[in-house]
Amino acid sequence: MEFHAAVSWTRFGLADPCPALPLMPMKLTVIGSIFKIGGYRSTKNYLSAIKKKHIEAGFEWTDQLTVAAQAFKASTERGIGPGRQSCPLPWSKLTSLDLDGHFTDKKYPIHLNVCVVIFVFFFMRELECATAEWADMKLGHTLRTVTLTMSVSKNDPRALGCERHWGCVCLGAPSPRTCPYHAASALVAARRARFGDHVLVAGFPLFPDSSGDPYSAKVMLDVITGTATLCGEPLYNKAGRSRFGNHSWRALAAVMMGEIGIDVFKIRMMGR
């Protein structure tokens, strides 16, 4: 509706102010042009919503509106390409960086060198990284395993309902920079040393900032883009869109698992 109100409808031979409803083919054409120029990608959702409002207001959906709606959809979706994808970060470079030395602002999660190993191996979304709690992770020192209780929902990071397990993957000396079990062990030791028994308080974050507080998903996105810069990766593609996003940890995990020969179906199961 705000797009409609911003248009000077007298330029198109209509009275001003011009109500959004009832719809007219001209109105759909003008709004579609605005969406096209602005690069708006959810035009189908807009069209569905405004059609519903038109009918609920008691107006008839005519054949002319059907034709205009089809032209609206075809024009606004033509040439926009796929939605923004989250490119994977380079694992070999990532594990050699001193992330703790670069992300020193207190807003960032601490002990990032080992945190990112858990982010990747457990296919974590940025919201899951920001909202994971201490009680979600369990270590099995006898078998050298780490278990993380995770969300079964893409939209609610605290809709916990499944578990994912990893054992030690070290081929030689223990390496918390490349092994999920040793990364988790190092994380637990560092958290205990810094926060003591406070980690046992209900809701204590698994990946807190330097004050022991949770952080926002926006901060995690800043970590991802900042890490990409440290790896020497270009942040934008040829179309000017960001190459890295909320799912870059997951994208890296999928690529890494595929490169070592894990079946695609199993990768999809791991990624939930």
Side-chain angles (χ1 to χ4, degrees), residues 219-233:
V219 169
M220 179 49 59
L221 183 57
D222 290 344
V223 169
I224 292 171
T225 55
T227 302
T229 300
L230 292 174
C231 289
E233 294 289 314

mmCIF file with all atom_site columns, all heavy atoms in Angstrom, residues 219-233:
data_model
loop_
_atom_site.group_PDB
_atom_site.id
_atom_site.type_symbol
_atom_site.label_atom_id
_atom_site.label_alt_id
_atom_site.label_comp_id
_atom_site.label_asym_id
_atom_site.label_entity_id
_atom_site.label_seq_id
_atom_site.pdbx_PDB_ins_code
_atom_site.Cartn_x
_atom_site.Cartn_y
_atom_site.Cartn_z
_atom_site.occupancy
_atom_site.B_iso_or_equiv
_atom_site.pdbx_formal_charge
_atom_site.auth_seq_id
_atom_site.auth_comp_id
_atom_site.auth_asym_id
_atom_site.auth_atom_id
_atom_site.pdbx_PDB_model_num
ATOM 1   N N   . VAL A 1 219 ? 25.166 -9.988  14.409 1.00 0.00 ? 219 VAL A N   1
ATOM 2   C CA  . VAL A 1 219 ? 26.569 -10.094 14.789 1.00 0.00 ? 219 VAL A CA  1
ATOM 3   C C   . VAL A 1 219 ? 27.199 -11.319 14.133 1.00 0.00 ? 219 VAL A C   1
ATOM 4   O O   . VAL A 1 219 ? 28.336 -11.269 13.647 1.00 0.00 ? 219 VAL A O   1
ATOM 5   C CB  . VAL A 1 219 ? 26.711 -10.156 16.325 1.00 0.00 ? 219 VAL A CB  1
ATOM 6   C CG1 . VAL A 1 219 ? 28.134 -10.528 16.725 1.00 0.00 ? 219 VAL A CG1 1
ATOM 7   C CG2 . VAL A 1 219 ? 26.322 -8.825  16.950 1.00 0.00 ? 219 VAL A CG2 1
ATOM 8   N N   . MET A 1 220 ? 26.459 -12.426 14.090 1.00 0.00 ? 220 MET A N   1
ATOM 9   C CA  . MET A 1 220 ? 26.988 -13.622 13.458 1.00 0.00 ? 220 MET A CA  1
ATOM 10  C C   . MET A 1 220 ? 27.214 -13.399 11.966 1.00 0.00 ? 220 MET A C   1
ATOM 11  O O   . MET A 1 220 ? 28.203 -13.863 11.395 1.00 0.00 ? 220 MET A O   1
ATOM 12  C CB  . MET A 1 220 ? 26.044 -14.801 13.685 1.00 0.00 ? 220 MET A CB  1
ATOM 13  C CG  . MET A 1 220 ? 26.503 -16.119 13.036 1.00 0.00 ? 220 MET A CG  1
ATOM 14  S SD  . MET A 1 220 ? 28.227 -16.584 13.372 1.00 0.00 ? 220 MET A SD  1
ATOM 15  C CE  . MET A 1 220 ? 28.230 -16.680 15.158 1.00 0.00 ? 220 MET A CE  1
ATOM 16  N N   . LEU A 1 221 ? 26.317 -12.657 11.330 1.00 0.00 ? 221 LEU A N   1
ATOM 17  C CA  . LEU A 1 221 ? 26.512 -12.338 9.921  1.00 0.00 ? 221 LEU A CA  1
ATOM 18  C C   . LEU A 1 221 ? 27.759 -11.468 9.739  1.00 0.00 ? 221 LEU A C   1
ATOM 19  O O   . LEU A 1 221 ? 28.505 -11.647 8.767  1.00 0.00 ? 221 LEU A O   1
ATOM 20  C CB  . LEU A 1 221 ? 25.275 -11.622 9.368  1.00 0.00 ? 221 LEU A CB  1
ATOM 21  C CG  . LEU A 1 221 ? 25.308 -11.275 7.878  1.00 0.00 ? 221 LEU A CG  1
ATOM 22  C CD1 . LEU A 1 221 ? 25.517 -12.527 7.032  1.00 0.00 ? 221 LEU A CD1 1
ATOM 23  C CD2 . LEU A 1 221 ? 24.010 -10.579 7.473  1.00 0.00 ? 221 LEU A CD2 1
ATOM 24  N N   . ASP A 1 222 ? 28.004 -10.556 10.670 1.00 0.00 ? 222 ASP A N   1
ATOM 25  C CA  . ASP A 1 222 ? 29.224 -9.746  10.625 1.00 0.00 ? 222 ASP A CA  1
ATOM 26  C C   . ASP A 1 222 ? 30.469 -10.633 10.753 1.00 0.00 ? 222 ASP A C   1
ATOM 27  O O   . ASP A 1 222 ? 31.491 -10.368 10.111 1.00 0.00 ? 222 ASP A O   1
ATOM 28  C CB  . ASP A 1 222 ? 29.221 -8.708  11.746 1.00 0.00 ? 222 ASP A CB  1
ATOM 29  C CG  . ASP A 1 222 ? 28.187 -7.611  11.536 1.00 0.00 ? 222 ASP A CG  1
ATOM 30  O OD1 . ASP A 1 222 ? 27.692 -7.476  10.401 1.00 0.00 ? 222 ASP A OD1 1
ATOM 31  O OD2 . ASP A 1 222 ? 27.866 -6.906  12.518 1.00 0.00 ? 222 ASP A OD2 1
ATOM 32  N N   . VAL A 1 223 ? 30.379 -11.659 11.584 1.00 0.00 ? 223 VAL A N   1
ATOM 33  C CA  . VAL A 1 223 ? 31.500 -12.599 11.739 1.00 0.00 ? 223 VAL A CA  1
ATOM 34  C C   . VAL A 1 223 ? 31.759 -13.319 10.413 1.00 0.00 ? 223 VAL A C   1
ATOM 35  O O   . VAL A 1 223 ? 32.911 -13.481 9.985  1.00 0.00 ? 223 VAL A O   1
ATOM 36  C CB  . VAL A 1 223 ? 31.210 -13.623 12.856 1.00 0.00 ? 223 VAL A CB  1
ATOM 37  C CG1 . VAL A 1 223 ? 32.242 -14.756 12.845 1.00 0.00 ? 223 VAL A CG1 1
ATOM 38  C CG2 . VAL A 1 223 ? 31.209 -12.935 14.213 1.00 0.00 ? 223 VAL A CG2 1
ATOM 39  N N   . ILE A 1 224 ? 30.689 -13.743 9.748  1.00 0.00 ? 224 ILE A N   1
ATOM 40  C CA  . ILE A 1 224 ? 30.827 -14.473 8.483  1.00 0.00 ? 224 ILE A CA  1
ATOM 41  C C   . ILE A 1 224 ? 31.474 -13.599 7.423  1.00 0.00 ? 224 ILE A C   1
ATOM 42  O O   . ILE A 1 224 ? 32.433 -14.013 6.751  1.00 0.00 ? 224 ILE A O   1
ATOM 43  C CB  . ILE A 1 224 ? 29.454 -14.983 8.014  1.00 0.00 ? 224 ILE A CB  1
ATOM 44  C CG1 . ILE A 1 224 ? 28.949 -16.083 8.961  1.00 0.00 ? 224 ILE A CG1 1
ATOM 45  C CG2 . ILE A 1 224 ? 29.532 -15.515 6.584  1.00 0.00 ? 224 ILE A CG2 1
ATOM 46  C CD1 . ILE A 1 224 ? 27.512 -16.505 8.705  1.00 0.00 ? 224 ILE A CD1 1
ATOM 47  N N   . THR A 1 225 ? 30.969 -12.375 7.253  1.00 0.00 ? 225 THR A N   1
ATOM 48  C CA  . THR A 1 225 ? 31.535 -11.491 6.229  1.00 0.00 ? 225 THR A CA  1
ATOM 49  C C   . THR A 1 225 ? 32.945 -11.051 6.595  1.00 0.00 ? 225 THR A C   1
ATOM 50  O O   . THR A 1 225 ? 33.811 -10.925 5.722  1.00 0.00 ? 225 THR A O   1
ATOM 51  C CB  . THR A 1 225 ? 30.635 -10.266 6.007  1.00 0.00 ? 225 THR A CB  1
ATOM 52  O OG1 . THR A 1 225 ? 30.414 -9.592  7.261  1.00 0.00 ? 225 THR A OG1 1
ATOM 53  C CG2 . THR A 1 225 ? 29.286 -10.682 5.435  1.00 0.00 ? 225 THR A CG2 1
ATOM 54  N N   . GLY A 1 226 ? 33.178 -10.838 7.885  1.00 0.00 ? 226 GLY A N   1
ATOM 55  C CA  . GLY A 1 226 ? 34.527 -10.467 8.323  1.00 0.00 ? 226 GLY A CA  1
ATOM 56  C C   . GLY A 1 226 ? 35.515 -11.588 8.090  1.00 0.00 ? 226 GLY A C   1
ATOM 57  O O   . GLY A 1 226 ? 36.661 -11.359 7.687  1.00 0.00 ? 226 GLY A O   1
ATOM 58  N N   . THR A 1 227 ? 35.086 -12.818 8.327  1.00 0.00 ? 227 THR A N   1
ATOM 59  C CA  . THR A 1 227 ? 35.946 -13.973 8.092  1.00 0.00 ? 227 THR A CA  1
ATOM 60  C C   . THR A 1 227 ? 36.240 -14.129 6.602  1.00 0.00 ? 227 THR A C   1
ATOM 61  O O   . THR A 1 227 ? 37.360 -14.460 6.207  1.00 0.00 ? 227 THR A O   1
ATOM 62  C CB  . THR A 1 227 ? 35.280 -15.250 8.635  1.00 0.00 ? 227 THR A CB  1
ATOM 63  O OG1 . THR A 1 227 ? 35.022 -15.096 10.034 1.00 0.00 ? 227 THR A OG1 1
ATOM 64  C CG2 . THR A 1 227 ? 36.175 -16.460 8.432  1.00 0.00 ? 227 THR A CG2 1
ATOM 65  N N   . ALA A 1 228 ? 35.227 -13.895 5.777  1.00 0.00 ? 228 ALA A N   1
ATOM 66  C CA  . ALA A 1 228 ? 35.432 -13.964 4.324  1.00 0.00 ? 228 ALA A CA  1
ATOM 67  C C   . ALA A 1 228 ? 36.489 -12.954 3.885  1.00 0.00 ? 228 ALA A C   1
ATOM 68  O O   . ALA A 1 228 ? 37.353 -13.261 3.042  1.00 0.00 ? 228 ALA A O   1
ATOM 69  C CB  . ALA A 1 228 ? 34.116 -13.711 3.598  1.00 0.00 ? 228 ALA A CB  1
ATOM 70  N N   . THR A 1 229 ? 36.455 -11.765 4.459  1.00 0.00 ? 229 THR A N   1
ATOM 71  C CA  . THR A 1 229 ? 37.452 -10.743 4.135  1.00 0.00 ? 229 THR A CA  1
ATOM 72  C C   . THR A 1 229 ? 38.843 -11.202 4.548  1.00 0.00 ? 229 THR A C   1
ATOM 73  O O   . THR A 1 229 ? 39.815 -11.046 3.796  1.00 0.00 ? 229 THR A O   1
ATOM 74  C CB  . THR A 1 229 ? 37.105 -9.414  4.839  1.00 0.00 ? 229 THR A CB  1
ATOM 75  O OG1 . THR A 1 229 ? 35.822 -8.962  4.394  1.00 0.00 ? 229 THR A OG1 1
ATOM 76  C CG2 . THR A 1 229 ? 38.147 -8.355  4.532  1.00 0.00 ? 229 THR A CG2 1
ATOM 77  N N   . LEU A 1 230 ? 38.959 -11.787 5.728  1.00 0.00 ? 230 LEU A N   1
ATOM 78  C CA  . LEU A 1 230 ? 40.250 -12.285 6.199  1.00 0.00 ? 230 LEU A CA  1
ATOM 79  C C   . LEU A 1 230 ? 40.778 -13.405 5.305  1.00 0.00 ? 230 LEU A C   1
ATOM 80  O O   . LEU A 1 230 ? 41.996 -13.562 5.143  1.00 0.00 ? 230 LEU A O   1
ATOM 81  C CB  . LEU A 1 230 ? 40.125 -12.797 7.638  1.00 0.00 ? 230 LEU A CB  1
ATOM 82  C CG  . LEU A 1 230 ? 39.852 -11.747 8.722  1.00 0.00 ? 230 LEU A CG  1
ATOM 83  C CD1 . LEU A 1 230 ? 39.606 -12.419 10.061 1.00 0.00 ? 230 LEU A CD1 1
ATOM 84  C CD2 . LEU A 1 230 ? 41.019 -10.776 8.821  1.00 0.00 ? 230 LEU A CD2 1
ATOM 85  N N   . CYS A 1 231 ? 39.858 -14.167 4.718  1.00 0.00 ? 231 CYS A N   1
ATOM 86  C CA  . CYS A 1 231 ? 40.264 -15.260 3.819  1.00 0.00 ? 231 CYS A CA  1
ATOM 87  C C   . CYS A 1 231 ? 40.626 -14.750 2.426  1.00 0.00 ? 231 CYS A C   1
ATOM 88  O O   . CYS A 1 231 ? 41.027 -15.532 1.561  1.00 0.00 ? 231 CYS A O   1
ATOM 89  C CB  . CYS A 1 231 ? 39.133 -16.284 3.700  1.00 0.00 ? 231 CYS A CB  1
ATOM 90  S SG  . CYS A 1 231 ? 38.851 -17.287 5.182  1.00 0.00 ? 231 CYS A SG  1
ATOM 91  N N   . GLY A 1 232 ? 40.437 -13.444 2.201  1.00 0.00 ? 232 GLY A N   1
ATOM 92  C CA  . GLY A 1 232 ? 40.747 -12.880 0.899  1.00 0.00 ? 232 GLY A CA  1
ATOM 93  C C   . GLY A 1 232 ? 39.680 -13.118 -0.144 1.00 0.00 ? 232 GLY A C   1
ATOM 94  O O   . GLY A 1 232 ? 39.939 -13.011 -1.352 1.00 0.00 ? 232 GLY A O   1
ATOM 95  N N   . GLU A 1 233 ? 38.457 -13.402 0.301  1.00 0.00 ? 233 GLU A N   1
ATOM 96  C CA  . GLU A 1 233 ? 37.357 -13.683 -0.607 1.00 0.00 ? 233 GLU A CA  1
ATOM 97  C C   . GLU A 1 233 ? 36.633 -12.394 -0.983 1.00 0.00 ? 233 GLU A C   1
ATOM 98  O O   . GLU A 1 233 ? 36.390 -11.543 -0.117 1.00 0.00 ? 233 GLU A O   1
ATOM 99  C CB  . GLU A 1 233 ? 36.352 -14.639 0.044  1.00 0.00 ? 233 GLU A CB  1
ATOM 100 C CG  . GLU A 1 233 ? 36.891 -16.038 0.312  1.00 0.00 ? 233 GLU A CG  1
ATOM 101 C CD  . GLU A 1 233 ? 37.088 -16.808 -0.968 1.00 0.00 ? 233 GLU A CD  1
ATOM 102 O OE1 . GLU A 1 233 ? 36.181 -16.797 -1.825 1.00 0.00 ? 233 GLU A OE1 1
ATOM 103 O OE2 . GLU A 1 233 ? 38.154 -17.432 -1.118 1.00 0.00 ? 233 GLU A OE2 1
#
